[in-house]
Amino acid sequence: MIKLCFIDTETSGLDPKKNAVLEIGCIIEIGDFIDEFVIECSPFEKDEINDKALEVNRISKDGLFKRTPPKTAYHQFIETLSQHVDRYNRCDKFFFLAYNAPFDNNFLREFFLKNDDSYFGSYFFYPPIDVAVLAAMYLRDNRSRMSNFKLTTVAPVMGIDIDTAKAHSALYDTQIMRAVYYKAMNDGIQL
């Protein structure tokens, strides 16, 4: 059975080596089974914090350090993943789906490494599936008229209602991204 893992991360900047994962929003879908969860975590001591990133994510510096420690957040994440895949079976993995998938994929790979785990690939097939690419194919006739290709711009053009006040919350963005994925796939992407 195909195992999908829709993921969004909120981070303290744009560089996975220097910046922190602050939130992981995840929707696991296996057949009719759907599980949604969010993990909020504080940065590692050496992670850089960009004030602009905190502003975008609506996180205060005080609140940032009251979140789950990153090692604990990592263990929560892999415990949940391990309920659904056998990390020792190379055929039993999740398909990793994200909007601008290389960004989230690279941050989570680095998050694993910062937690002394080089086995990110034990949970996810390669390559990640980029929902932004699927949306671009779906919106090929509208793309030149769009001001940008952010998720909050793309979703309404595809007929998906959004609450911009909830944007940049990892789980909410994951829910919107999943809706974009299904809209593109169910309405048929054509080149």
Side-chain angles (χ1 to χ4, degrees):
M1 182 170 297
I2 293 176
K3 298 178 181 184
L4 304 177
C5 189
F6 297 89
I7 292 183
D8 182 68
T9 59
E10 299 302 330
T11 65
S12 70
L14 301 175
D15 187 334
K17 292 195 182 300
K18 294 179 183 176
N19 300 118
V21 170
L22 303 178
E23 271 184 33
I24 303 168
C26 190
I27 301 173
I28 291 173
E29 185 176 328
I30 306 167
D32 292 335
F33 173 82
I34 296 176
D35 184 24
E36 295 185 359
F37 64 93
V38 65
I39 297 172
E40 297 180 343
C41 60
S42 59
F44 283 97
E45 191 175 307
K46 293 182 180 181
D47 285 335
E48 294 178 9
I49 309 301
N50 180 304
D51 290 336
K52 181 66 176 164
L54 294 182
E55 182 182 322
V56 167
N57 294 315
R58 295 180 299 280
I59 301 170
S60 70
K61 276 198 177 177
D62 291 340
L64 180 63
F65 294 99
K66 293 177 183 172
R67 292 169 171 242
T68 305
K71 288 258 184 222
T72 304
Y74 158 78
H75 284 291
Q76 291 172 347
F77 187 52
I78 63 165
E79 284 173 19
T80 303
L81 297 177
S82 295
Q83 292 173 16
H84 306 289
V85 296
D86 176 0
R87 65 183 177 190
Y88 301 108
N89 179 346
R90 65 182 186 87
C91 298
D92 186 24
K93 309 289 174 228
F94 286 110
F95 285 92
F96 184 107
L97 295 98
Y99 196 87
N100 188 13
F103 179 88
D104 299 285
N105 191 274
N106 290 339
F107 259 97
L108 285 176
R109 279 183 181 278
E110 192 62 32
F111 184 65
F112 270 58
L113 291 174
K114 289 177 182 180
N115 279 288
D116 300 317
D117 183 346
S118 58
Y119 296 103
F120 176 83
S122 294
Y123 299 94
F124 300 102
F125 286 120
Y126 181 84
I129 298 170
D130 194 340
V131 176
V133 172
L134 301 177
M137 293 167 60
Y138 180 85
L139 294 170
R140 68 197 174 283
D141 295 333
N142 294 324
R143 181 63 183 101
S144 64
R145 294 184 298 276
M146 296 173 69
S147 61
N148 62 55
F149 214 70
K150 295 177 184 177
L151 182 60
T152 53
T153 303
V154 167
V157 173
M158 293 179 74
I160 298 164
D161 292 329
I162 63 165
D163 182 347
T164 55
K166 293 181 181 178
H168 297 292
S169 161
L171 185 55
Y172 184 73
D173 287 357
T174 303
Q175 292 164 341
I176 297 303
M177 178 259 300
R178 181 174 173 265
V180 167
Y181 169 80
Y182 277 110
K183 178 76 171 176
M185 297 304 288
N186 291 339
D187 287 1
I189 297 172
Q190 297 177 10
L191 293 176

